[in-house]
Amino acid sequence: SQTIHQWPATLVQPVGSPLSLECTVEGTSNPNLYWYRQAAGRGLQLLFYSVGIGQISSEVPQNLSASRPQDRQFILSSKKLLLSDSGFYLCAWSVGHGEQYFGPGTRLTVT
Amino acid sequence: AQTVTQSQPEMSVQEAETVTLSCTYDTSESDYYLFWYKQPPSRQMILVIRQEAYKQQNATENRFSVNFQKAAKSFSLKISDSQLGDAAMYFCATNYGGSQGNLIFGKGTKLSVKP
C-alpha cells in the first residue's frame, strides 16, 4: 500500500532563516506531487506541483521554491522566511487526474 | 477558471441524525472529478468520497453519499447516522489541469456533532 511521509511535524523558525520541508511517498511510481499551504481557519492553497523528476510548476509566485530530486521525494524550501510564511503545509500525491492523498502535514511558525 | 463554493461555514447535527453539506462548482474541464475531504483536528486531509462527472449514479461510501446534479453544478454530501468522529472540517474539491490533477478546494464547512 502507498504511504506518504512529511517531516518535520512542527517547526518554529525566526524570520530570515532558511526552510526545508521534506515529503516522501512509498508504494507507487512516478506520482504527481503537490505542496499546499493552509492558513489558520482557511482552505488549501496550491503552491507547487510536479509531474516528474526535476519538473516543478508554481501556482503562486512567492518566497518559496520546490524541488524534486528523486521520483518520490518532494522538497519545499525558502532562503529567507517571512512572517507570512507561517501556516500548515501539506504534501500530497496522485496518479493521473484522480484523487489526491495527503501527508500528515507540517505546522510552521515563523517568529 | 474553476471555482468551488461552500456556502455553509458551520453546520451542526445531532448524533445519529442526518446532515447535508452543500457545494457548488464551476469548471471549464470537460472531464472532471469531484471530491469531499474531511479534515479532523489532527489536520490530515482524508478522502471521504469521489464522483466522476461522466457517471450519473451518485457515489456512496458506507454512511456517506453525494447528490450530484451536473446541470446545476451542485455536489452535496450527505452523512447518515452521524457519529461523534464525524466532527471535522469538510472540503469540497474539483480537479483541473488535465493529467496534472490539480485540485481546487472550497473554503470548507465545519461540522459539529452533538451527543
Side-chain angles (χ1 to χ4, degrees), chain A residues 70-108:
Chain A
Q70 301 181 42
D71 181 44
R72 289 168 286 180
Q73 184 184 29
F74 205 23
I75 297 172
L76 183 70
S77 304
S78 174
K79 293 182 179 179
K80 290 185 178 181
L81 284 169
L82 306 172
L83 285 173
S84 58
D85 291 324
S86 292
F88 190 64
Y89 288 83
L90 286 156
C91 179
W93 69 272
S94 75
V95 178
H97 54 283
E99 61 268 28
Q100 292 182 15
Y101 298 95
F102 288 80
T106 296
R107 186 184 307 273
L108 172 65

Side-chain angles (χ1 to χ4, degrees), chain A residues 32 34 38 59 97 99-100, chain B residues 37 39 50 96 99-101:
Chain A
N32 293 344
Y34 311 85
Q38 185 180 31
E59 285 285 299
H97 54 283
E99 61 268 28
Q100 292 182 15
Chain B
Y37 281 87
Q39 188 178 41
R50 81 169 200 170
Y96 67 97
S99 61
Q100 294 163 0

